[in-house]
Amino acid sequence: MTPATETEAADLRQVLQEATAEVIVERGLGAFSLREVARRAGVSHAAPGYHFGDMEGLLTALAIEGLDTLHRQTAAAAAMTTDPIERLRLIGVAYVQVGMNFPAHMEVAFRPDVVDGDHPSLQTCGTSAFGVLEDAVRDIAETHNPKLDVRKASHLCWSAMQGLVELHPKLTRLDEMSGVPASSIDDLVSSFTSLLVTGFLHADD
Amino acid sequence: MTPATETEAADLRQVLQEATAEVIVERGLGAFSLREVARRAGVSHAAPGYHFGDMEGLLTALAIEGLDTLHRQTAAAAAMTTDPIERLRLIGVAYVQVGMNFPAHMEVAFRPDVVDGDHPSLQTCGTSAFGVLEDAVRDIAETHNPKLDVRKASHLCWSAMQGLVELHPKLTRLDEMSGVPASSIDDLVSSFTSLLVTGFLHADD
DNA sequence: CGAGATATCTTGACACTGTCAAGCTGAAGT
DNA sequence: ACTTCAGCTTGACAGTGTCAAGATATCTCG
């Protein structure tokens, strides 16, 4: 109720982003409500708009936070080994773990219909996260196969991981319907990485 | 204004689905409006609800139509060749072309937050579409590498294609920002297929 | 110390929304 | 001719996002 200090205002922005993630996870993005976020944060319905401009601004801030987390966690994973192939696998595991630990953040990160895709920070964070992956693929190319098209191979890796995160619930259901024991997502990441790297090592584009 | 015959009612359902796809493409799914669909179809705001139950029902019908189209077009593509490797590439091209020709259908097809993921037809169409892909991968395993885990390899293919369709706008932008000439999506499909198949041929799980 | 500026809210209004219920109309069935 | 039914329309309601105006506490400056 009382006006906030700068620190309190920053705290409120963080509370609003946490409430946003909570509402997305509980209700689905399709039923997202800015007023519900305000209620959970204990402020009036107009407060989020003051801090973030509008609903798109708030969701964009959440997407930036998500891609920043993705970048930091994939960079940390990459630093855990000097073996380029193992590095790619660890990056994949980190990617999927961020997707599971921050589902709302990652869900909005690739939704041009609800976030501002032109936002500079969103693009910068996305470029940084992609860079970690591309560096790992480049290392593989340098040590095992200089013929590999690093750019395209990096695109394939990201597409595969992004597709896995999004499709995993559906693929799991397909497996269950076929009576096949579903794989854990970590297991799939390792299998995917193995198959992808095998292709990279033998590629002769 | 006048009550419809059964044929006219079916026509209206089709008109509503076409208007739905149009609104999604123009406004984005995040700003989708059922009343706008009704306006474009020239009926009252309650008519879509009568035919489809509610907004989720309408979007689910669109998703089913999309997956059915995907199944039919990937099956047709698969029938165009007897070479298993070329078949997989053609399936990938067909997948991406459906994604580009029916963006609204494919956008809602994987959105559990706006469609009814438990709808039997949605699952049946999804299973059928996946089956075309899995058959192609199985043929590759039988002719080139019996050690290949067909299920996981199929999952990888679908994840990669789905990820490509969704990420292609963002990846294209990353390429342009880096001064790299962006690849066409068909070119990427061919490169992806080549890399994936190379991995499949040499896999020894 | 008081006045003015500023940041950070709140309140209220507006137009739009999805859903539901009641009612209308024409065709089909008895 | 009456009843039933499918396929709508109209109207109401509660919730929504955004905007404008106003309130309040803090900060700055003379």
Side-chain angles (χ1 to χ4, degrees):
Chain A
M1 173 56 190
T2 59
T5 64
E6 198 170 323
T7 303
E8 286 166 335
D11 287 347
L12 177 54
R13 278 189 280 275
Q14 189 55 42
V15 166
L16 287 169
Q17 287 185 275
E18 286 165 10
T20 297
E22 191 178 300
V23 169
I24 290 171
V25 166
E26 287 182 26
R27 295 184 175 194
L29 190 53
F32 178 78
S33 161
L34 200 54
R35 288 199 188 210
E36 178 60 21
V37 167
R39 280 192 285 273
R40 295 186 190 206
V43 293
S44 73
H45 56 276
Y50 174 79
H51 284 283
F52 294 93
D54 52 17
M55 186 166 87
E56 181 184 70
L58 174 57
L59 295 178
T60 301
L62 199 75
I64 290 165
E65 195 174 62
L67 287 178
D68 183 63
T69 299
L70 179 69
H71 172 223
R72 282 189 294 98
Q73 294 204 12
T74 53
M80 290 169 71
T81 184
T82 54
D83 175 44
I85 294 173
E86 176 62 4
R87 176 177 294 148
L88 187 64
R89 194 188 69 84
L90 290 175
I91 287 171
V93 170
Y95 190 104
V96 159
Q97 285 180 340
V98 170
M100 293 177 73
N101 293 337
F102 300 94
H105 292 71
M106 296 306 291
E107 183 170 353
V108 297
F110 302 100
R111 293 289 187 87
D113 60 316
V114 299
V115 301
D116 175 10
D118 294 317
H119 196 292
S121 296
L122 194 65
Q123 298 190 15
T124 302
C125 287
T127 302
S128 298
F130 183 72
V132 173
L133 173 61
E134 194 175 30
D135 286 349
V137 173
R138 181 173 297 108
D139 283 350
I140 290 174
E142 284 173 359
T143 54
H144 293 81
N145 182 5
K147 290 178 188 168
L148 182 68
D149 183 329
V150 168
R151 195 75 179 181
K152 286 197 170 118
S154 304
H155 280 164
L156 173 53
C157 286
W158 198 344
S159 295
M161 288 191 290
Q162 178 61 24
L164 175 57
V165 168
E166 177 170 334
L167 291 178
H168 184 248
K170 196 173 185 72
L171 292 174
T172 299
R173 170 167 285 160
L174 288 178
D175 282 347
E176 287 165 353
M177 281 172 65
S178 306
V180 171
S183 304
S184 73
I185 199 161
D186 279 357
D187 183 41
L188 283 173
V189 167
S190 294
S191 297
F192 277 21
T193 308
S194 180
L195 284 166
L196 288 168
V197 166
T198 302
F200 295 172
L201 301 198
H202 293 87
D204 53 3
D205 288 320
Chain B
M1 172 56 184
T2 59
T5 63
E6 198 171 324
T7 303
E8 285 164 336
D11 286 346
L12 176 53
R13 278 191 278 277
Q14 189 55 41
V15 165
L16 287 169
Q17 287 185 275
E18 286 165 10
T20 298
E22 190 179 303
V23 169
I24 290 171
V25 165
E26 286 181 27
R27 297 186 175 193
L29 191 53
F32 178 76
S33 162
L34 200 55
R35 287 198 188 211
E36 177 62 21
V37 167
R39 278 191 287 272
R40 295 185 189 206
V43 293
S44 74
H45 56 273
Y50 175 79
H51 283 285
F52 293 94
D54 53 16
M55 185 166 88
E56 182 182 70
L58 174 57
L59 294 178
T60 302
L62 200 76
I64 290 165
E65 197 176 64
L67 287 180
D68 184 62
T69 299
L70 179 68
H71 172 222
R72 283 187 295 99
Q73 294 204 10
T74 53
M80 289 168 69
T81 183
T82 54
D83 176 45
I85 295 174
E86 175 63 0
R87 174 177 297 150
L88 187 64
R89 193 188 70 81
L90 290 174
I91 288 171
V93 170
Y95 190 103
V96 159
Q97 283 179 343
V98 170
M100 293 176 73
N101 293 337
F102 301 92
H105 293 69
M106 296 307 292
E107 184 170 352
V108 297
F110 303 100
R111 293 289 188 86
D113 60 315
V114 298
V115 301
D116 176 11
D118 294 316
H119 196 290
S121 296
L122 194 64
Q123 298 189 16
T124 302
C125 287
T127 302
S128 300
F130 183 71
V132 173
L133 174 59
E134 193 174 32
D135 287 346
V137 172
R138 182 173 297 111
D139 282 350
I140 291 174
E142 286 174 358
T143 54
H144 294 80
N145 183 4
K147 290 178 187 169
L148 183 66
D149 183 326
V150 169
R151 193 77 180 181
K152 286 198 170 114
S154 303
H155 280 164
L156 173 54
C157 286
W158 197 346
S159 296
M161 286 189 292
Q162 178 61 24
L164 175 57
V165 167
E166 177 170 334
L167 291 179
H168 184 247
K170 196 175 185 72
L171 293 174
T172 299
R173 169 168 286 163
L174 289 178
D175 282 346
E176 286 163 356
M177 281 171 64
S178 306
V180 172
S183 305
S184 72
I185 199 161
D186 279 357
D187 183 42
L188 282 172
V189 167
S190 294
S191 298
F192 278 21
T193 309
S194 179
L195 284 165
L196 289 168
V197 166
T198 303
F200 296 171
L201 299 196
H202 294 87
D204 53 4
D205 290 318

